[in-house]
Amino acid sequence: MKRLRFLKKAGAVAACIGGAVAASLFHVPAAQAQAKTQQKPNIIFIMSDDHALQAISAYSPDLIKTPNIDRIAQEGALLRNAFVTNSICGPSRAVILTGKYSHINGFTDNQDRFNSKQQTFPHLLKANGYSTAIVGKWHLNSTPDGFDYWNILPGQGDYYNPRFINMGQDTVYNGYVTDVTTDLALSWIDAHKQKPFMLMLHQKAPHRNQMPPLENLELFNDRKFPMPASFYDDYKDRPALQRQQISMRNNLDIDHDTKVPCNGCTPKKGEKWAPRNYMREINRMTPQQREVWNKAYRKEQEEFAKLKTTEERVKWQYQRYMEDYLRCIKSVDDNVGRVLQYLEANGLADNTIIIYTSDQGAYLGEHGLYDKRFMYEESLRTPMMIRYPAGIKPAQKVNEYVLNLDIGPTLLDFAGIQVPGDMQGESMKQVLTGQPVNNWRDKIYYHYYGKSFGLTAHYGIRTSQYKLIRFYDPISTWELYDLAKDPQEMKNLYNDPKYAKVAAKLKAELAELQQKYKDPQPLANK
Ligand code: CA
């Protein structure tokens, strides 16, 4: 097992293999001189997994304070209307890399295999003199290409003492995955900061099953998180929601998700357990880690034992889900802080573009759900903020509709590289630098293909006021929402005669978008 040296607890900002990063903190003048002579911006793209924007204080102050992530927005631009084109882990990553919709880049669902030899923005940066790297989650069932260095988690990866694939070699790192991923990132930057670099720093957290780091296990014990107003959605007139299996009520595991070990448990009606999954995670821990973990979660086990009714259990599970989710996010935010401090200490902060985003949004109890996939707002939206002091003024609030499809074109544009004509996204540069923008998109196109967890494949259009969704496989149904009157998307208006004209207009616009993006239009006009 490889050991990384952690300096975080001692008050230093960086940790690394062999101490190279720590040493570099004391050589600021030389690094600053290098940064001044460099023209092209460095790029650090930080992406977490399933980070709902409700859980970032730059967007919403209610759930958690994320001062480090917020700094990126305060010192740069906060994208208030950032959306994904296909709300699921692997496909989103493929869209970001290629700047192309799923049906063009070939990776429509998590089971697919990404052809990493195809044109991506990292390939183009590398061909133009950038050092390129990716660390953390890859999740595309292939080997990265276009990167000088890659050190990725296999599949979903693990939270504790994670195994990585380091340029093809299995390597286990001792520690917590969010810290380890950041350590690997800072080590690589430290060795490659002499010429323009582009690093993709992909955190696994806060993806299910939300195993927080040991130092955060007591956080939020004194908080009671209010359930969202739509938690008890009855799914009336929405058959696709009726058949999903991503509900907090029915589909969270008592042990794997809420950390109550089974220990010969006899499941009551409606309870779901997954001992094999949970124990696989627990067995990765060292005896010392396990001791701290078990001690911290004893309270939860006692609470669970006292629950009498299904309703009590559902409410308790919601609280437990939120606590662990936010504990993981606290660690993501701390590690964003380490990256920012490293850049400052090394004179790289001004000439580095830093993006924080997630592969999509997530439900935190809205519509009674966890997870993502559906085209409803909470998982269609994604957090996105960009800091680049040399090119973007601080405290910009951007309301234009942007897509994760736009990230590649934007970064190429800032790097002075021509955006290939076959990329389907738009460069956000003008939007971000406050220049007048003509004909920016005022509607977005979405297409989700997956059918696992009781989902139904669907596509749709979102405008400033409306959303029209076509569910087509395995069931066939339409949904229409008036977002101005019904922002929580509880009332399907598709069969309301008063909205017939609206629906017809949206269908025509939807067909135009499918044509524009060259989607083969499954059942578009039925
Ligand atoms: Ca995800």
Side-chain angles (χ1 to χ4, degrees):
M1 186 179 284
K2 210 157 186 167
R3 280 178 186 276
L4 296 178
R5 229 174 53 176
F6 286 80
L7 302 174
K8 198 171 55 153
K9 295 244 165 63
V13 293
C16 67
I17 307 166
V21 173
S24 76
L25 292 173
F26 304 103
H27 296 292
V28 173
Q32 271 170 346
Q34 285 149 13
K36 274 181 190 153
T37 57
Q38 181 183 307
Q39 294 301 312
K40 289 197 182 253
N42 305 305
I43 297 163
I44 302 180
F45 176 80
I46 306 178
M47 182 160 71
S48 51
D49 195 336
D50 294 9
H51 192 172
L53 51 81
Q54 308 91 294
I56 294 180
S57 41
Y59 286 99
S60 163
D62 298 340
L63 292 177
I64 186 173
K65 285 198 168 52
T66 49
N68 298 297
I69 294 171
D70 290 6
R71 254 191 73 192
I72 298 173
Q74 285 152 7
E75 297 170 9
L78 178 71
L79 287 304
R80 283 169 158 169
N81 286 305
F83 303 94
V84 297
T85 61
N86 182 359
S87 184
I88 178 82
C89 306
S92 260
R93 290 156 203 274
V95 166
I96 289 167
L97 286 166
T98 60
K100 294 172 182 172
Y101 270 88
S102 306
H103 59 276
I104 305 278
N105 71 44
F107 196 98
T108 57
D109 197 19
N110 276 347
Q111 291 77 28
D112 290 337
R113 185 182 166 82
F114 181 64
N115 169 15
S116 55
K117 300 272 185 207
Q118 69 182 295
Q119 171 187 279
T120 62
F121 84 83
H123 276 123
L124 294 164
L125 289 170
K126 185 167 151 64
N128 281 274
Y130 272 76
S131 299
T132 57
I134 179 165
V135 296
K137 196 163 175 190
W138 168 250
H139 207 249
L140 290 167
N141 300 324
S142 57
T143 298
D145 197 81
F147 299 95
D148 299 311
Y149 171 72
W150 51 273
N151 200 349
I152 57 169
L153 292 163
Q156 296 282 8
D158 291 299
Y159 274 106
Y160 275 84
N161 308 319
R163 182 163 77 88
F164 277 70
I165 308 169
N166 179 2
M167 304 288 284
Q169 297 293 312
D170 267 15
T171 314
V172 175
Y173 295 95
N174 190 22
Y176 183 68
V177 70
T178 309
D179 299 330
V180 170
T181 304
T182 310
D183 294 343
L184 294 170
L186 294 181
S187 292
W188 182 80
I189 296 174
D190 205 59
H192 295 86
K193 59 182 186 287
Q194 316 306 334
K195 71 170 191 174
F197 63 84
M198 190 286 295
L199 168 82
M200 302 185 88
L201 195 176
H202 288 188
Q203 296 292 9
K204 166 188 170 61
H207 191 279
R208 193 185 184 195
N209 70 334
Q210 291 96 18
M211 308 258 297
L214 297 181
E215 68 264 24
N216 291 352
L217 293 181
E218 306 292 335
L219 271 184
F220 307 114
N221 270 342
D222 54 347
R223 285 279 299 275
K224 184 158 169 59
F225 297 101
M227 289 161 113
S230 63
F231 189 88
Y232 291 102
D233 188 344
D234 62 5
Y235 307 148
K236 186 170 173 279
D237 300 328
R238 286 157 297 159
L241 267 171
Q242 289 163 21
R243 60 187 299 279
Q244 52 72 26
Q245 293 157 20
I246 51 171
S247 92
M248 285 202 170
R249 169 178 291 269
N250 300 320
N251 304 110
L252 287 179
D253 302 319
I254 305 287
D255 45 2
H256 191 236
D257 289 302
T258 44
K259 325 295 190 306
V260 174
C262 173
N263 293 339
C265 54
T266 348
K268 292 183 206 138
K269 191 168 178 289
E271 281 179 14
K272 208 168 147 276
W273 297 76
R276 192 183 293 177
N277 289 347
Y278 185 54
M279 289 319 293
R280 198 181 65 83
E281 300 291 342
I282 295 298
N283 289 336
R284 295 196 65 81
M285 293 182 180
T286 64
Q288 292 83 355
Q289 288 169 336
R290 218 173 301 163
E291 198 184 324
V292 178
W293 180 272
N294 288 338
K295 190 160 170 265
Y297 283 114
R298 206 163 290 150
K299 183 177 76 69
E300 278 76 7
Q301 294 172 40
E302 289 164 8
E303 286 173 358
F304 178 74
K306 289 180 197 153
L307 300 172
K308 293 197 177 67
T309 64
T310 300
E311 281 323 301
E312 280 178 8
R313 193 256 300 161
V314 171
K315 284 182 178 152
W316 179 81
Q317 276 194 292
Y318 174 75
Q319 294 298 327
R320 288 290 307 113
Y321 187 90
M322 294 301 289
E323 287 165 11
D324 284 348
Y325 185 87
L326 296 172
R327 286 166 182 164
C328 289
I329 285 171
K330 171 71 167 67
S331 157
V332 169
D333 186 66
D334 288 344
N335 277 287
V336 167
R338 292 176 62 208
V339 175
L340 294 173
Q341 286 185 48
Y342 173 85
L343 294 178
E344 275 157 15
N346 287 274
L348 297 167
D350 283 352
N351 197 41
T352 298
I353 298 171
I354 181 159
I355 296 186
Y356 184 82
T357 189
S358 171
D359 58 348
Q360 8 68 207
Y363 300 98
L364 300 178
E366 296 87 359
H367 302 285
L369 307 176
Y370 62 94
D371 209 79
K372 51 269 178 177
R373 305 169 201 269
F374 280 110
M375 198 191 164
Y376 307 121
E377 290 293 277
E378 292 80 8
S379 62
L380 175 65
R381 287 175 178 273
T382 195
M384 197 186 291
M385 50 205 84
I386 308 181
R387 178 190 188 275
Y388 177 35
I392 300 173
K393 284 192 218 121
Q396 304 269 327
K397 308 259 199 248
V398 177
N399 291 317
E400 274 84 0
Y401 289 4
V402 301
L403 296 167
N404 56 352
L405 196 70
D406 301 331
I407 287 169
T410 304
L411 293 175
L412 292 172
D413 197 5
F414 272 119
I417 298 166
Q418 192 171 5
V419 180
D422 63 347
M423 280 195 173
Q424 296 179 306
E426 309 284 338
S427 168
M428 296 182 267
K429 190 174 172 186
Q430 282 184 303
V431 166
L432 294 168
T433 49
Q435 296 170 52
V437 186
N438 293 322
N439 300 322
W440 190 259
R441 71 170 76 83
D442 59 359
K443 50 182 95 78
I444 60 162
Y445 178 61
Y446 179 85
H447 195 160
Y448 173 80
Y449 296 80
K451 284 175 273 182
S452 44
F453 300 102
L455 263 284
T456 305
H458 59 287
Y459 55 82
I461 178 173
R462 186 202 189 280
T463 67
S464 60
Q465 190 174 353
Y466 298 108
K467 186 182 291 179
L468 179 73
I469 313 175
R470 169 60 164 165
F471 292 91
Y472 66 90
D473 186 16
I475 62 166
S476 176
T477 176
W478 291 88
E479 293 181 11
L480 170 64
Y481 297 97
D482 184 336
L483 299 171
K485 289 184 183 157
D486 176 27
Q488 289 171 17
E489 300 165 289
M490 301 286 274
K491 193 167 170 44
N492 179 10
L493 300 166
Y494 185 73
N495 291 315
D496 184 336
K498 289 202 288 292
Y499 284 85
K501 272 191 185 161
V502 170
K505 183 166 180 282
L506 288 167
K507 276 187 191 179
E509 290 177 324
L510 177 57
E512 279 170 26
L513 286 179
Q514 290 185 317
Q515 201 168 16
K516 172 181 173 174
Y517 293 118
K518 302 183 172 66
D519 198 350
Q521 304 191 45
L523 305 172
N525 296 311
K526 288 193 185 172

